[in-house]
Amino acid sequence: MTKSIAEYSGLELLQAMARGELPAPSITVTMPMSLLEADAGFVRFAAKADERHLNPLGGVHGGFAATVLDSVTGCAVHTMLEAGVGYGTVDLTVKMLKPIPRDVPLVAEGKVLHISRTLGVAEGSIRNAEGTLLAHATATCMILRR
């Protein structure tokens, strides 16, 4: 018998997704990103903006970086949660440091800074292949226990 999603801890769920044993969330189609690594309090994603993510001036819209950073910070918090416990972002502060390039592979990482019974705080970054920091975020997530 197959486990339901609610029976996986956050870390187990994300690691199963990274191995391809469970499908990735649909947001990964809209915002091309894939989970490369998940460990307790840490995640690493690959991401790449494309022609679907451009603003009226032809640059990559800031919403691309904000969405990727919301994903890595939230998933980092999720790695610390037991089965059946959810979370939701209540605050996301994003700093755009350099333009996000189009059609260039990027690495996004999320790391937990603090976790309690009701709140998780994490930081995230997006870097290019050379390691240049393009965007940074901090997020607070409410932990949803039943």
Side-chain angles (χ1 to χ4, degrees), residues 13-44:
L13 179 70
L14 292 169
Q15 288 177 336
M17 287 179 178
R19 291 190 301 267
E21 296 167 5
L22 292 173
S26 60
I27 189 66
T28 63
V29 175
T30 305
M31 300 291 186
M33 55 183 160
S34 58
L35 178 60
L36 301 174
E37 179 183 352
D39 204 349
F42 176 81
V43 295
R44 178 177 290 126

Side-chain angles (χ1 to χ4, degrees), residues 32-140:
M33 55 183 160
S34 58
L35 178 60
L36 301 174
E37 179 183 352
D39 204 349
F42 176 81
V43 295
R44 178 177 290 126
F45 283 38
K48 187 190 300 187
D50 61 35
E51 70 281 349
R52 297 173 296 165
H53 309 110
L54 303 182
N55 64 30
L57 298 174
V60 174
H61 192 283
F64 177 84
T67 301
V68 172
L69 290 165
D70 185 47
S71 296
V72 297
T73 54
C75 285
V77 169
H78 197 185
T79 66
M80 303 296 289
L81 302 180
E82 50 286 359
V85 177
Y87 68 94
T89 304
V90 295
D91 179 73
L92 178 69
T93 302
V94 177
K95 302 294 183 202
M96 310 291 192
L97 305 172
K98 293 186 178 283
I100 298 291
R102 177 180 166 190
D103 298 321
V104 173
L106 304 170
V107 175
E109 295 181 344
K111 181 175 93 172
V112 171
L113 301 175
H114 171 78
I115 195 93
S116 71
R117 179 164 172 70
T118 57
L119 292 176
V121 177
E123 68 177 351
S125 64
I126 299 176
R127 297 177 186 271
N128 63 18
E130 293 76 37
T132 302
L133 183 62
L134 305 176
H136 179 269
T138 55
T140 304

